[in-house]
Amino acid sequence: MVNGSVVEGVLERITYANEETGYTVARVDTGRGSGDLLTVVGALLGAQPGESLRMHGRWGSHPQYGKQFTVENYTTVLPATIQGIRRYLGSGLIKGIGPRIADRIVEHFGTDTLDVIEKEPGRLVEVPGLGPKRTKMIGAAWEEQKAIKEVMVFLQGVGVSTSIAVRIYKKYGDASISVVRNEPYRLAADVWGIGFLTADRIAQSVGIPHDSPDRVKAGLQYALSQSTDQGHCFLPEEQLIADAVKLLQVDTGLVIDCLGELAAEPEGVVRERVPGKDGEPVTAVYLVPFHRAEISLAGRLTRLMRSDEDRMPAFGDVVWDKALAWLARRTGAELAPEQQAAVRLALTQKVAVLTGGPGCGKSFTVRSVVELARAKKAKVVLAAPTGRAAKRLSELTGAEASTVHRLLELKPGGDAAYDADRPLDADLVVVDEASMLDLLLANKLVKAVPPGAHLLLVGDVDQLPSVGAGEVLRDLLAGEGAARGGSPRTESGGASDRGGGRVAGGTVPSVRLTRIFRQAQQSGVVTNAHRINSGVPPLTTGLKDFFLFVEDDAEEAARLTVDVAARRVPAKFGLDPRRDVQVLTPMHRGPAGAGALNGLLQQAVTPARPDLSERRFGGRVFRVGDKVTQIRNNYDKGSNGVFNGTVGVVTDLNAEEQRLTVRTDEDEEVPYDFDELDELAHAYAVTIHRSQGSEYPAVVIPVTTSAWMMLQRNLLYTAVTRAKRLVVLVGSRKALGQAVRTVSAGRRCTALDHRLAGAV
């Protein structure tokens, strides 16, 4: 039915959706019988194919596509025809009903189907093949859908997406509308996906005053939360006040008063004087969990280092010449002097750090530590922050290694099964890729190390710091000569089989390996990684494993990146484009960002096919075979949580159960309900930050001037060091030069190094 500026019809398919703006292009069957579908455009994000919609808007014409209807707002309505009901029920909207069961139900009840489900769901057992269990499930799913629809209608006016409405309902149930009306700022704290800005928009629409103290306090906590997302553990008070005034558009005096109130609340914020980036004292303002974690981590590391107990006493009086000679016979290779120093440090000191770039022998040193510890019957526990890094550590040492999360057996809510009260049964704990450890995870890990055990943290401090708040590895090495404003000093040297390095006696004992072994020097990937880290442009000609495809235009560079990753590299090197080739980008947005590239790469690697199951969620379409990544920490998923950056492949899509299944890098099958798909993003291309701790046979890196603000040396260095065999850069020489020249703007706001220095 078409009537003025109202159109009703069944949503047949979505042809385009932008998840950032909500702009959607869709085709609607208005039931006029001609078989023609109407093009509708506008704010339709959240509507699913199969739903009957009543759309309010205006008619217009597109120069290329002709007549179309622009939607300003819409509501869902229940279909009235047999065909509409069948399509609606079979679309996967109601859990427990897929196309097959929808056909059976509609065949049995005809146009009364929806009335029966609504008023007498028990009658569904009359349908052949529907037992009491599924009947009950369908009835419950229908009721939940109704309740969610109510919340959705209420939230539509403030532009909140369907997935957020579902999350609000799952969190608060029947109290959802009451919470949204009366305590909207709770949403920002309680519901993932709702930030302060969305909560503020809702608060405005329900009449909460602009200068309400609740609003100001929520804004202050949001500003701090945003800073932790940027990696900071605290913000200087002056900066926080300025950020909040700008965000909230209220008087400075009101912000200062509300900050004082927050500091007086037990779970508000903590203020403390600490050294700032330039060494001058500042008043730091922390969210409570980050303050607790920083104090706890510093205290526990100090207690570990000072412990009189030693769970590996045999190494206190070992004859090292004999031990190292035995090791050389066992491994078939001699350790260089600085590697020997690292081995001795790890086995005689309670806490030690081993750092260095690619090709400098970190892996062989770790293997040597583990071999000697095992020879003395020590219980060795191996872990890494990601599944891929744990697998690599396991292959290297020949012993089982797990992710830190799995090792600690994190439970729903984030508490660990292993902690200070129930420590790990370990004499030596080795953690690889330690540059990825953020403050909260490092604190959980160190809590679980028993007194007297040895902890060895291994990582490359010149890589990007962790995605989460803090820069733990760099703070532990601060005594090694790192100034507050820069990274620790690096000693360079020529290639040598004897190697080079330095033992540092700073806050935490450490060894930095600096010299590239001759074997590694044959690799263009390793050589160029060290050139980039030293501020020297990489060599891009005459190498078999490092290439530059020059393309100055960002959109053309994006197309070329896709061609290289999906076709050229697989054809020339015999690699699988999904499993072996990874595109790494400086940023998510922009023509050569991860968002745009994922759309192009999905079309190239996993295109739509009639026989391939798929599910649209917002602006994304998920298909069986898609490479995906988790984009938030979720302690309730999988056996021990699924974490930001976990990568996997979609193995199943079940419309009837409304469930998608991902097989992760840890070989765990993890189910996602369709309303949880905003936790997943495609991973054909990922940002370089997200790639930390992973290693791929080949990486393709677009380096374009459109990502100018993100082009920094440690970003490019991290991307290049993710590759085992091959690096291909695509972009402009100007952008590449900018990345090599630009040193990161400075340290994050943390005080872990200060706390450690004060304790030692």
Side-chain angles (χ1 to χ4, degrees):
M1 179 189 82
V2 180
N3 179 20
S5 59
V6 178
V7 170
E8 284 191 15
V10 176
L11 181 60
E12 285 295 321
R13 64 177 179 273
I14 293 172
T15 54
Y16 170 80
N18 183 316
E19 61 186 298
E20 284 169 16
T21 64
Y23 181 79
T24 305
V25 180
R27 303 280 278 163
V28 170
D29 183 354
T30 54
R32 288 175 293 183
S34 63
D36 290 342
L37 298 179
L38 170 68
T39 298
V40 297
V41 300
L44 273 170
L45 207 57
Q48 292 289 348
E51 286 188 301
S52 294
L53 308 177
R54 181 177 290 124
M55 296 163 286
H56 297 259
R58 60 188 189 280
W59 289 98
S61 184
H62 187 279
Q64 188 177 345
Y65 302 110
K67 187 180 181 185
Q68 62 183 30
F69 187 75
T70 300
V71 181
E72 283 159 5
N73 58 67
Y74 75 92
T75 52
T76 55
V77 291
L78 293 176
T81 66
I82 291 273
Q83 186 186 355
I85 293 168
R86 183 182 280 117
R87 177 89 166 83
Y88 177 73
L89 287 181
S91 65
L93 284 163
I94 309 299
K95 206 169 200 170
I97 305 180
R100 198 169 39 85
I101 288 178
D103 285 348
R104 282 197 223 149
I105 295 173
V106 175
E107 202 171 301
H108 190 80
F109 294 114
T111 51
D112 295 335
T113 295
L114 300 182
D115 269 347
V116 169
I117 297 174
E118 167 82 27
K119 296 170 184 160
E120 304 173 89
R123 283 189 60 198
L124 288 170
V125 292
E126 297 171 20
V127 177
L130 276 193
K133 189 177 173 188
R134 188 174 288 272
T135 297
K136 194 174 176 185
M137 178 182 169
I138 291 169
W142 180 266
E143 285 302 312
E144 184 173 287
Q145 274 298 317
K146 265 175 44 187
I148 290 169
K149 284 275 192 285
E150 261 186 77
V151 178
M152 275 167 54
V153 168
F154 180 73
L155 292 175
Q156 243 167 2
V158 289
V160 174
S161 72
T162 315
S163 61
I164 297 297
V166 171
R167 284 187 186 280
I168 290 172
Y169 181 77
K170 282 192 167 180
K171 178 73 183 173
Y172 304 117
D174 293 340
S176 297
I177 290 175
S178 167
V179 170
V180 169
R181 267 207 186 100
N182 303 315
E183 305 172 89
Y185 292 109
R186 265 182 71 187
L187 301 175
D190 293 352
V191 183
W192 182 75
I194 295 189
F196 171 80
L197 300 180
T198 302
D200 200 35
R201 207 164 60 229
I202 294 168
Q204 217 175 343
S205 72
V206 297
I208 287 178
H210 187 70
D211 58 356
S212 154
D214 284 346
R215 177 175 183 264
V216 176
K217 285 195 245 181
L220 280 161
Q221 288 183 306
Y222 169 72
L224 278 176
S225 175
Q226 285 291 95
S227 75
T228 64
D229 288 346
Q230 302 302 314
H232 300 296
C233 298
F234 67 81
L235 277 184
E237 186 174 47
E238 286 180 14
Q239 186 183 334
L240 173 60
I241 291 166
D243 288 353
V245 168
K246 188 177 174 186
L247 169 74
L248 298 164
Q249 299 292 296
V250 294
D251 290 341
T252 304
L254 178 59
V255 171
I256 292 169
D257 290 347
C258 287
L259 180 57
E261 287 178 33
L262 262 182
E265 293 174 11
E267 295 301 316
V269 298
V270 177
R271 290 193 287 200
E272 184 186 351
R273 296 287 281 177
V274 301
K277 289 182 182 179
D278 56 2
E280 290 299 309
V282 297
T283 299
V285 185
Y286 288 82
L287 289 172
V288 171
F290 294 92
H291 186 257
R292 281 185 188 145
E294 200 171 79
I295 287 176
S296 166
L297 179 56
R300 289 181 184 285
L301 281 169
T302 303
R303 281 197 290 280
L304 272 179
M305 287 189 283
R306 288 179 177 168
S307 174
D308 292 331
E309 289 180 59
D310 192 344
R311 294 180 64 129
M312 295 201 295
F315 290 102
D317 54 7
V318 78
V319 179
W320 283 102
D321 287 349
K322 282 186 180 177
L324 294 168
W326 173 88
L327 184 66
R329 288 194 300 275
R330 186 166 174 83
T331 60
E334 281 193 30
L335 290 168
E338 81 286 356
Q339 291 176 307
Q340 293 178 13
V343 169
R344 291 179 67 159
L345 203 69
L347 296 172
T348 58
Q349 298 286 338
K350 306 290 173 39
V351 181
V353 174
L354 172 62
T355 187
C360 292
K362 283 200 310 292
S363 296
F364 187 62
T365 307
V366 170
R367 183 183 156 195
S368 301
V369 170
V370 172
E371 289 279 4
L372 280 171
R374 278 219 204 97
K376 294 290 187 185
K377 303 289 188 286
K379 290 174 184 168
V380 181
V381 168
L382 304 169
T386 66
R388 281 186 182 230
K391 270 186 185 171
R392 201 171 63 239
L393 184 58
S394 185
E395 288 160 9
L396 166 73
T397 57
E400 187 185 342
S402 67
T403 61
V404 176
H405 309 104
R406 204 175 282 277
L407 172 69
L408 300 178
E409 293 182 14
L410 294 187
K411 299 176 289 191
D415 289 333
Y418 290 95
D419 56 18
D421 297 325
R422 187 196 175 198
L424 296 162
D425 183 16
D427 303 321
L428 170 66
V429 178
V430 179
V431 184
D432 200 6
E433 294 288 355
S435 62
M436 290 184 67
L437 285 177
D438 62 40
L439 174 67
L440 299 182
L441 185 58
N443 182 45
K444 285 186 170 76
L445 171 70
V446 173
K447 266 186 189 176
V449 178
H454 292 226
L455 172 65
L456 174 62
L457 298 171
V458 184
D460 185 346
V461 76
D462 293 324
Q463 285 180 28
L464 290 168
S466 55
V467 174
E471 43 188 352
V472 173
L473 190 65
R474 188 166 291 180
D475 280 341
L476 298 190
L477 289 167
E480 187 210 31
R484 258 325 263 187
S487 61
R489 186 174 74 248
T490 303
E491 285 189 2
S492 59
S496 160
D497 281 337
R498 300 302 293 164
R502 181 173 71 257
V503 181
T507 313
V508 175
S510 64
V511 172
R512 177 188 281 259
L513 306 179
T514 58
R515 298 198 180 187
I516 312 170
F517 285 83
R518 284 209 179 98
Q519 186 183 356
Q521 211 190 17
Q522 310 308 311
S523 160
V525 174
V526 170
T527 304
N528 277 334
H530 285 275
R531 286 175 70 93
I532 290 164
N533 201 29
S534 303
V536 179
L539 302 168
T540 56
T541 55
L543 297 172
K544 293 176 181 174
D545 59 355
F546 201 103
F547 302 91
L548 169 64
F549 286 78
V550 176
E551 177 51 71
D552 290 336
D553 180 77
E555 289 191 9
E556 284 303 316
R559 279 191 280 275
L560 182 53
T561 297
V562 171
D563 191 42
V564 167
R567 298 182 190 91
R568 297 195 199 187
V569 166
K572 184 173 173 64
F573 295 93
L575 297 174
D576 182 294
R578 190 185 287 110
R579 189 184 60 241
D580 301 329
V581 184
Q582 184 62 55
V583 174
L584 302 179
T585 73
M587 57 198 292
H588 181 77
R589 295 186 177 179
L597 284 170
N598 268 315
L600 296 170
L601 284 159
Q602 186 191 36
Q603 286 171 29
V605 179
T606 316
R609 297 196 320 260
D611 61 331
L612 193 64
S613 298
E614 65 175 45
R615 172 73 181 183
R616 178 174 285 280
F617 188 94
R620 302 173 187 145
V621 178
F622 293 100
R623 299 188 182 114
V624 171
D626 267 341
K627 187 175 181 178
V628 293
T629 182
Q630 172 82 7
I631 58 173
R632 67 171 286 226
N633 288 346
N634 187 334
Y635 295 99
D636 301 330
K637 281 221 160 296
S639 54
N640 297 115
V642 180
F643 296 87
N644 190 353
T646 300
V647 174
V649 173
V650 177
T651 54
D652 185 51
L653 266 165
N654 188 322
E656 206 165 281
E657 301 297 330
Q658 292 192 9
R659 188 173 294 136
L660 172 152
T661 305
V662 173
R663 187 170 194 82
T664 70
D665 271 351
E666 293 180 63
D667 295 326
E668 183 180 8
E669 297 275 353
V670 179
Y672 289 79
D673 289 345
F674 282 169
D675 57 35
E676 298 176 311
L677 295 184
D678 54 351
E679 294 192 18
L680 289 176
H682 291 100
Y684 299 99
V686 298
T687 60
I688 296 164
H689 277 89
R690 270 187 183 284
S691 72
Q692 287 171 263
S694 292
E695 201 175 57
Y696 316 94
V699 301
V700 182
I701 310 164
V703 186
T704 67
T705 51
S706 65
W708 194 256
M709 296 304 291
M710 292 296 291
L711 296 176
Q712 293 175 353
R713 187 182 300 168
N714 62 349
L715 194 82
L716 183 59
Y717 173 73
T718 300
V720 168
T721 55
R722 299 307 87 214
K724 282 194 276 195
R725 287 170 49 190
L726 175 70
V727 171
V728 183
L729 304 176
V730 180
S732 73
R733 293 188 189 280
K734 183 180 178 185
L736 180 58
Q738 168 74 0
V740 172
R741 280 192 309 274
T742 308
V743 178
S744 171
R747 296 290 303 275
R748 294 175 168 187
C749 292
T750 79
L752 179 62
D753 57 347
H754 156 69
R755 296 182 197 284
L756 282 166
V760 170

